[in-house]
Amino acid sequence: MIFSIVVQAPPIQCQGAETALRFARALLDAGHSIHRVFFYRDGVHNGSALTCLPQDEVSIPEQWQALAREHKLDLVVCIAAAVRRGLINEHEAGRYKKAHWNLAEQFELSGLGQLVEACIQSDRVVTFGGRS
Amino acid sequence: MSAEGILIMTRAAPYGSSAARDALDAALTCSVFEQPVTLLFLDDGVFQLLKGQSPTEISQKNLNAVQQSLPLYDIERLCVSRSSLDSRGLGTDDLILPVEVVGDAELPQLLSQHRHVLSI
């Protein structure tokens, strides 16, 4: 089956992002495919390259990156939600005249249309962090 | 009946968080991509449709303005939970747009009429 995953949970304050990650791994292990992982609302913080954790804690953004590299996942961060929260790439840094940017590799910024397209293309769409 | 379209479920009050605005943005985008979309207002989400909001006093944009444009985007199916209205002392006359009032027992059927359900 073709799945898409919507992540609205931020990586530290909520468990939802880690649950989404484990769900994604379970899908792939079970032979399903993932059309897209779409990060919306505070879920955009999953795409930060500047997350710094103590050595004995796992970095959710790095785990998404590793999973994306291994399985060629499409990790899309909602651009409107991201720029409002200070999560930008080099292109947006230029547009908004910011000196720095912080979107991690493997993630891309795009519009909410990518969420709708994911719904059209997928047999199942599963949301994590939708009630926070 | 074959399931089609997207149902967006929203449960949050209009201004305590960005949830209401984020759900509306997703609904409008569905419409732009010509996907049939239904909005389902549950729990405190029913407050989103209250008439006479004046959120500029707390530096927020008035949701009513966007809501009134929903019919222009062909988003005409607005479903509201009867029990959520009742438990908050609200009736359809208090709401800014015509809605379809749905009883708790009818909710599973409403969800199953749609191909996908997004909870925002």
Side-chain angles (χ1 to χ4, degrees):
Chain A
M1 229 181 230
I2 302 171
F3 281 74
S4 282
I5 296 175
V6 183
V7 181
Q8 299 180 30
I12 305 297
Q13 197 161 317
C14 301
Q15 182 67 28
E18 201 269 346
T19 310
L21 193 50
R22 279 188 294 117
F23 183 74
R25 287 199 197 100
L27 286 177
L28 296 165
D29 287 348
H32 297 294
S33 64
I34 297 176
H35 176 68
R36 178 168 298 132
V37 185
F38 188 84
F39 299 89
Y40 191 36
R41 311 191 66 219
D42 276 359
V44 301
H45 293 298
N46 284 273
S48 174
L50 297 180
T51 303
C52 303
L53 291 170
Q55 279 189 349
D56 59 350
E57 292 180 23
V58 292
S59 164
I60 301 292
E62 286 177 15
Q63 301 231 334
W64 282 119
Q65 288 177 282
L67 197 67
R69 271 192 291 266
E70 189 180 343
H71 296 278
K72 298 191 171 26
L73 293 186
D74 189 23
L75 305 182
V76 176
V77 177
C78 174
I79 188 166
V83 298
R84 279 193 174 99
R85 290 165 175 82
L87 194 93
I88 57 175
N89 59 11
E90 185 173 4
H91 184 263
E92 296 307 304
R95 184 205 303 245
Y96 293 103
K97 298 184 172 44
K98 302 291 182 187
H100 306 285
W101 57 93
N102 58 340
L103 185 73
E105 286 179 13
Q106 305 293 328
F107 292 87
E108 63 171 308
L109 296 180
S110 191
L112 268 173
Q114 296 293 310
L115 170 61
V116 180
E117 196 268 352
C119 290
I120 295 168
Q121 299 296 332
S122 305
D123 299 308
R124 297 284 184 274
V125 179
V126 184
T127 301
F128 293 84
R131 295 199 63 182
S132 57
Chain B
M1 188 188 305
S2 66
E4 65 159 20
I6 298 169
L7 181 138
I8 296 178
M9 194 188 291
T10 175
R11 298 172 179 270
Y15 304 106
S17 75
S18 67
R21 179 68 222 213
D22 294 338
L24 266 181
D25 284 347
L28 294 172
T29 308
C30 288
S31 170
V32 169
F33 282 75
E34 297 180 339
Q35 289 301 298
V37 59
T38 302
L39 275 161
L40 171 61
F41 299 85
L42 291 172
D43 300 339
D44 280 350
V46 298
F47 287 123
Q48 292 176 29
L49 292 169
L50 268 188
K51 288 176 187 167
Q53 301 176 14
S54 49
T56 49
E57 292 176 33
I58 54 166
S59 309
Q60 296 296 315
K61 292 180 191 166
N62 197 328
L63 281 179
N64 285 164
V66 184
Q67 288 160 345
Q68 283 175 315
S69 73
L70 289 174
L72 300 175
Y73 282 85
D74 293 323
I75 303 174
E76 284 166 346
R77 194 159 186 210
L78 307 177
C79 296
V80 175
S81 155
R82 176 176 289 122
S83 63
S84 299
L85 282 177
D86 288 349
S87 61
R88 288 161 182 79
L90 298 174
T92 52
D93 289 349
D94 299 308
L95 308 181
I96 189 151
L97 287 167
V99 298
E100 191 177 321
V101 178
V102 182
D104 290 351
E106 302 160 65
L107 286 174
Q109 192 196 352
L110 177 63
L111 266 58
S112 66
Q113 284 168 2
H114 295 81
R115 186 154 169 260
H116 294 299
V117 175
L118 295 176
S119 183
I120 295 173

